[in-house]
């Protein structure tokens, strides 16, 4: 069995914060940021007024394994479910706690959106077309879908925890089966394309649900982690090799099917493997986070997590557009990602993106900080 026999409907302990879980969240954020910075490429037409968006995964498919390392969304939802379940308290309403959790989004998201109003005007003034500006804004806004799904699942935590208490791992199996049925409808029975978007909830609910179970004390054994890693990896490989699912775990421009938009059964299976790996790493990470410097770094990353997530695309675009307007086409930044040298050139630019993100983060935190009440 993967779970211990004892089951409780909610977690109410007051144990110290689990820094290993915080480390997993930090690694997941790092994966998303590096993934976007590496696989989002811009090609200049030489006019300094237009950038075509593409991906090295389209022109160099041998780089596909990068998507297996840097697509870490399942870890986000696993940790989110764990943290939400740890916030449940018997006899206390979930509403006030939910409002405190969601307050973390109340100021940062509007600040980002408002910042792009003058940015869009400046881009138009600089000569970018309306379509070009729209494409850049979409790159900033598109990652925000994650927050919407996360908010919905977090709001439903008491209900999901109750389902876990009743169904345990059977609930996860039902969610995987529901995703499979939706995929069969899309790919084999010609169901309307919009039906596939139901997997945004059924698919990402799987790791969130398992995160709640993890917080409840389940999935603690090494065997559970190994079964999830092995089963998830085998299932993903089978779907890719024999069912025609894409090998890339992120979207590739021009591809007929994306494993993420909406999430497919292959993405869910891959997420199970990631979940198992996260469970296996929890012990080593617990030992690693006992070091004072590591604890400080993990705590700092936790305080900056939302800022990093919201502004990393703006940092990428700011450097890319600013350099194009100031210097023209630069290798690894505005050139076609169709040669191995492009990867080496892009790796150099990562440091520049990081500096830009740090600068944006300082400004964003000042805008996001609530104003002190005036003294009487």
């Amino acid at each position: 069995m993967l779970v211990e026999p004892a089951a409780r409907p909610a977690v109410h302990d007051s144990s110290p914060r689990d820094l290993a879980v915080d480390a997993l969240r930090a690694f997941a954020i790092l994966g998303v940021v590096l993934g976007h910075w590496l696989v989002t490429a811009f090609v200049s037409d030489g006019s300094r007024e237009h950038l075509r968006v593409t991906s090295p995964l389209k022109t160099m498919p041998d780089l596909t394994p990068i998507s297996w390392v840097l697509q870490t969304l399942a870890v986000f939802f696993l940790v989110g479910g764990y943290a939400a379940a740890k916030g449940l308290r018997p006899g206390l309403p979930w509403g006030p706690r939910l409002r405190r959790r969601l307050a973390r989004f109340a100021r940062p998201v509007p600040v980002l959106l408002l910042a792009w109003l003058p940015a869009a005007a400046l881009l138009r003034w600089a000569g970018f077309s309306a379509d070009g500006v729209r494409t850049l804004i979409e790159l900033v806004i598109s990652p925000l879908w994650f927050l919407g799904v996360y908010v919905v699942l977090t709001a439903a935590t008491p209900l999901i925890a109750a389902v876990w208490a009743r169904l345990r791992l059977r609930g996860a199996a039902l969610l995987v089966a529901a995703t499979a049925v939706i995929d069969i409808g899309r790919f084999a029975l010609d169901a309307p394309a919009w039906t596939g978007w139901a997997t945004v909830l059924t698919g990402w609910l799987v790791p969130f649900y398992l995160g709640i179970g993890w917080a409840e004390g389940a999935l603690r054994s090494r065997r559970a982690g190994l079964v999830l890693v092995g089963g998830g990896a085998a299932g993903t490989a089978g779907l890719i090799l024999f069912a025609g699912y894409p090998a890339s775990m992120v979207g590739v421009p021009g591809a007929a099917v994306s494993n993420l938009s909406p999430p497919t059964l292959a993405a869910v299976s891959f997420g199970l493997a990631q979940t198992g790996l996260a469970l296996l790493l929890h012990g080593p990470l617990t030992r690693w986070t006992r070091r004072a410097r590591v604890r400080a770094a993990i705590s700092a990353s936790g305080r900056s997590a939302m800022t990093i997530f919201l502004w990393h695309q703006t940092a990428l675009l700011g450097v890319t557009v600013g350099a194009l307007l100031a210097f023209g086409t630069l290798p690894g930044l505005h050139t076609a990602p169709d040669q191995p040298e492009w990867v080496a050139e892009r790796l150099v630019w990562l440091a520049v993106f990081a500096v830009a993100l740090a600068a944006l983060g300082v400004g964003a935190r000042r805008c996001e900080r609530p104003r002190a009440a005036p003294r009487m």
Side-chain angles (χ1 to χ4, degrees):
M1 297 293 291
L2 297 183
V3 295
E4 290 77 0
R8 292 199 302 266
V11 175
H12 351 288
D13 61 48
S14 57
S15 56
R17 189 173 184 89
D18 191 330
L19 288 179
V21 172
D22 290 342
L24 287 170
R25 181 187 291 109
F27 288 138
I29 292 171
L30 181 63
V32 169
V33 171
L34 292 180
H36 283 153
W37 287 356
L38 284 171
V39 306
T40 306
F42 302 89
V43 181
S44 171
D45 62 1
S47 68
R48 299 192 181 191
E49 297 175 357
H50 180 73
L51 288 170
R52 176 172 60 87
V53 182
T54 185
S55 170
L57 299 178
K58 179 179 180 179
T59 53
M60 294 183 284
D62 288 345
L63 297 179
T64 294
I66 290 176
S67 71
W68 306 343
V69 177
L70 299 179
Q71 199 280 78
T72 53
L73 288 173
V75 179
F76 263 125
F77 285 106
L78 173 74
V79 172
Y82 180 94
K86 285 292 185 181
L88 293 176
R89 296 292 185 273
L92 295 179
W94 177 240
R97 299 188 64 83
L98 177 63
R99 285 192 292 271
R100 286 196 295 271
R101 286 177 176 274
L102 300 188
R104 291 177 295 175
F105 309 141
R107 293 181 68 88
V109 174
V111 168
L112 173 69
L113 299 178
L114 289 172
W116 267 92
L117 292 177
L122 285 173
L123 288 171
R124 290 289 286 140
W125 175 80
F128 279 79
S129 67
D131 287 341
V133 173
R134 187 180 304 110
T135 297
L136 297 180
I137 293 176
E138 286 174 356
L139 289 173
V140 173
I141 294 176
S142 57
L144 301 186
W145 69 263
F146 160 79
L147 296 181
V149 178
Y150 185 83
V151 166
V152 170
L153 296 183
T154 301
T157 295
L159 174 62
I160 300 171
V163 173
W164 169 266
R166 189 176 187 85
L167 297 181
R168 311 289 281 175
L169 284 179
R170 295 192 302 276
L174 289 173
L175 290 169
V176 174
T179 304
V181 169
I182 295 168
D183 272 13
I184 291 171
R186 289 175 60 200
F187 302 133
L189 303 178
D190 294 324
W194 60 263
T195 60
W197 290 100
T199 62
V200 170
L201 286 179
T202 64
W204 298 126
L205 181 51
V206 173
F208 192 91
Y209 180 82
L210 292 176
I212 288 178
W214 187 24
E216 292 279 5
L219 304 170
R220 298 283 177 171
S221 69
R222 180 177 176 81
R223 182 172 178 240
L226 290 173
V227 169
L228 285 169
V229 169
T236 305
L239 290 168
I240 293 171
L241 294 174
F242 305 113
Y245 284 82
S248 173
M249 287 299 131
V250 299
V252 178
V257 177
S258 166
N259 274 321
L260 283 187
S261 300
T264 64
L265 182 61
V268 173
S269 180
F270 182 75
L272 291 175
Q274 287 184 313
T275 296
L277 182 60
L279 297 175
L280 293 174
L281 288 175
H282 183 262
L285 286 175
T286 298
R287 294 187 289 273
W288 183 58
T289 55
R290 289 171 183 159
R291 303 175 183 179
R293 290 183 179 179
V294 174
R295 288 199 302 272
I298 296 300
S299 298
S301 70
R303 291 191 297 270
S304 304
M306 183 57 61
T307 300
I308 292 170
F309 178 80
L310 289 177
W311 291 91
H312 73 279
Q313 289 286 71
T314 300
L316 168 66
L317 295 174
V319 171
T320 302
V321 173
L324 179 67
L325 296 174
F327 307 108
T329 301
L330 296 175
L333 199 59
H334 312 110
T335 52
D338 53 7
Q339 299 295 330
E341 306 89 76
W342 183 91
V343 178
E345 294 162 353
R346 175 50 67 102
L347 290 174
V348 174
W349 283 106
L350 295 185
V352 183
F353 300 154
V355 171
L357 178 57
L360 286 170
V362 171
R365 282 194 292 271
R366 289 178 179 175
C367 295
E368 295 164 5
R369 189 178 301 129
R371 295 181 180 179
R375 294 184 179 182
M376 301 299 294

